[in-house]
Amino acid sequence: NIPKIVELSKYYYNKNGLIMRTINIERDFGSAGFRPVYPTSHKKVKKIIEDYNKKININQLIKDMIFELALAGNLICYDRGDWIDIYNIGEQVEISDYILNGKPLVFFNTLNEISNHYTSFDTYTIDPSISETYPKEVFDAMMEGKAKAILNNRNTYVARINGSRYEKYGIPPLLPALDDLSHKNLMTEAERSTALSVINKILLFQIGDKDNQPNDAQITYYSEALGTKDGSIEMTVPYFVDGKFIEPSTEVFAASATIQANIEDSLLGTLGISLTLIKGEGGGTYSENQVNLSGLTKSINAIRELIKPIINDLYKKLLLKNNIPLENCPEANFDEVVIDASTR
């Protein structure tokens, strides 16, 4: 169930620092150096493209696109003319089994939108002023009480990694790391449980000896003696009463630290990076850093290649709208990815 895996990937992004920093590196370095390449010196075209890029905030849009692909493995966006929507898989949209003009049809889950805003499906009304917050076909479906709307195929764009164009969904890059992440969570919970035991020490009273057999009253007294006490306590007891704390074993922490380190190494291996690259710390060989930078650069370039056709198509529609021949249409391009100039 890809939507569930996407949801889990976003959960771990917010929960795990290594995941967050890895995705952020791909997003920030991947979005840098964007520039349209113009085939002609048509001044009007350059002005139209520059205005359009400002209007849709092209730099932030590219960041958001890379983020979705790097984290979720899937990108579904919609051209609203002056803005580009990006939708959440599962909650908002789902890819259908149908392909039109080489592109999959996408369903918008209008029932989810209605349930998020209205308590009664029989009597709900929609303020017409919010119609502009949805594509027309979605708003019309909501007004008619339909469960789903088919998004306009011409305005919808789908990109996926780790999957072919004929598969409904791409595979989220974090899927292979979920085992390591689950193992790490389990160890963290075990550590927390042990730490709680260390904090809540056990006070053991041993009462009596062979010459002083304890009675019920003595046992009850010492069992309840410190029940409501806290802080520093002084207590005098007869020679045949011995009180001592039982210290829970903390050896688990030493073993856990080794296990956690092994899990972290496995996680980083799955992500294809090193702790040196993520945390910016010293250590690691030159060849190791080269492999990490090379692998990360390939991942970024692969995502960029999925974004370029979307931007190119947006530019083509813009020029057609302005009655300008497509031979003047620029193409999206990125400068070389440079994460560490010293390794070049």
Side-chain angles (χ1 to χ4, degrees):
N1 191 319
I2 296 299
K4 289 293 184 183
I5 297 174
V6 170
E7 184 179 338
L8 195 57
S9 296
K10 292 185 177 182
Y11 166 79
Y12 277 117
Y13 170 81
N14 291 302
K15 184 177 178 63
N16 187 281
L18 290 177
I19 299 297
M20 178 178 287
R21 296 190 71 174
T22 301
I23 299 300
N24 289 353
I25 284 175
E26 294 190 34
R27 177 199 64 196
D28 295 339
F29 284 97
S31 60
F34 169 77
R35 56 187 174 85
V37 176
Y38 297 88
T40 65
S41 58
H42 201 299
K43 293 184 179 180
K44 183 179 179 181
V45 171
K46 188 172 183 180
K47 180 67 166 59
I48 290 174
I49 295 298
E50 288 177 348
D51 290 344
Y52 178 73
N53 286 345
K54 291 179 182 178
K55 185 179 295 184
I56 67 172
N57 195 352
I58 189 70
N59 292 327
Q60 185 60 50
L61 174 63
I62 292 172
K63 278 191 173 185
D64 294 340
M65 287 178 165
I66 292 176
F67 178 84
E68 287 295 318
L69 284 167
L71 182 59
N74 296 270
L75 170 68
I76 299 178
C77 50
Y78 189 96
D79 178 16
R80 301 288 301 279
D82 294 337
W83 187 255
I84 310 299
D85 285 341
I86 295 179
Y87 298 131
N88 294 321
I89 290 177
E91 181 181 354
Q92 287 186 303
V93 295
E94 61 184 88
I95 300 176
S96 76
D97 294 315
Y98 307 103
I99 295 178
L100 178 63
N101 297 325
K103 297 167 59 178
L105 293 178
V106 176
F107 293 136
F108 191 101
N109 296 319
T110 53
L111 190 60
N112 285 350
E113 288 294 309
I114 294 172
S115 63
N116 287 338
H117 298 286
Y118 308 99
T119 56
S120 172
F121 297 117
D122 297 326
T123 60
Y124 80 89
T125 57
I126 300 178
D127 185 346
S129 64
I130 71 168
S131 63
E132 294 183 2
T133 65
Y134 297 100
K136 181 180 184 304
E137 59 271 26
V138 173
F139 183 75
D140 290 345
M142 291 177 66
M143 292 293 290
E144 297 170 10
K146 293 182 178 179
K148 296 180 181 181
I150 300 176
L151 292 177
N152 184 316
N153 189 255
R154 184 67 186 91
N155 295 331
T156 305
Y157 298 93
V158 176
R160 51 178 86 76
I161 59 177
N162 301 325
S164 75
R165 57 185 284 189
Y166 297 106
E167 294 178 278
K168 290 177 64 173
Y169 297 104
I171 305 300
L174 290 187
L175 180 59
L178 294 184
D179 281 345
D180 291 328
L181 290 167
S182 298
H183 193 184
K184 190 175 180 66
N185 280 353
L186 185 62
M187 290 302 301
T188 300
E189 290 301 318
E191 287 180 355
R192 186 177 291 116
S193 176
T194 303
L196 184 61
S197 297
V198 172
I199 293 170
N200 296 326
K201 297 178 180 179
I202 301 169
L203 177 59
L204 174 66
F205 277 116
Q206 293 177 315
I207 306 170
D209 54 27
K210 64 180 181 178
D211 298 321
N212 297 277
Q213 296 297 318
N215 56 44
D216 291 342
Q218 288 175 320
I219 294 173
T220 300
Y221 172 77
Y222 287 108
S223 295
E224 299 175 354
L226 303 180
T228 59
K229 307 294 184 180
D230 57 18
S232 299
I233 299 171
E234 291 185 3
M235 187 174 183
T236 302
V237 298
Y239 76 89
F240 56 81
V241 175
D242 181 25
K244 62 181 179 180
F245 283 107
I246 298 177
E247 299 280 355
S249 173
T250 58
E251 292 180 0
V252 66
F253 291 123
S256 178
T258 301
I259 295 173
Q260 288 275 27
N262 290 337
I263 294 173
E264 196 167 83
D265 287 343
S266 178
L267 176 60
L268 291 167
T270 301
L271 297 174
I273 55 176
S274 71
L275 202 58
T276 301
L277 179 61
I278 287 295
K279 294 186 176 181
E281 299 173 348
T285 65
Y286 177 84
S287 60
E288 286 173 343
N289 289 332
Q290 283 287 74
V291 168
N292 284 301
L293 291 172
S294 175
L296 197 58
T297 299
K298 288 179 180 178
S299 297
I300 292 173
N301 285 334
I303 292 175
R304 283 176 164 183
E305 290 304 313
L306 295 173
I307 292 174
K308 287 180 183 178
I310 297 176
I311 298 176
N312 290 340
D313 195 67
L314 292 173
Y315 286 164
K316 288 177 182 178
K317 289 196 293 185
L318 182 65
L319 262 60
L320 290 175
K321 182 180 178 181
N322 286 273
N323 297 315
I324 297 176
L326 292 182
E327 63 190 36
N328 298 292
C329 187
E331 290 192 352
N333 196 22
F334 292 90
D335 292 336
E336 179 187 357
V337 178
V338 179
I339 298 176
D340 184 0
S342 65
T343 64
R344 296 181 62 180

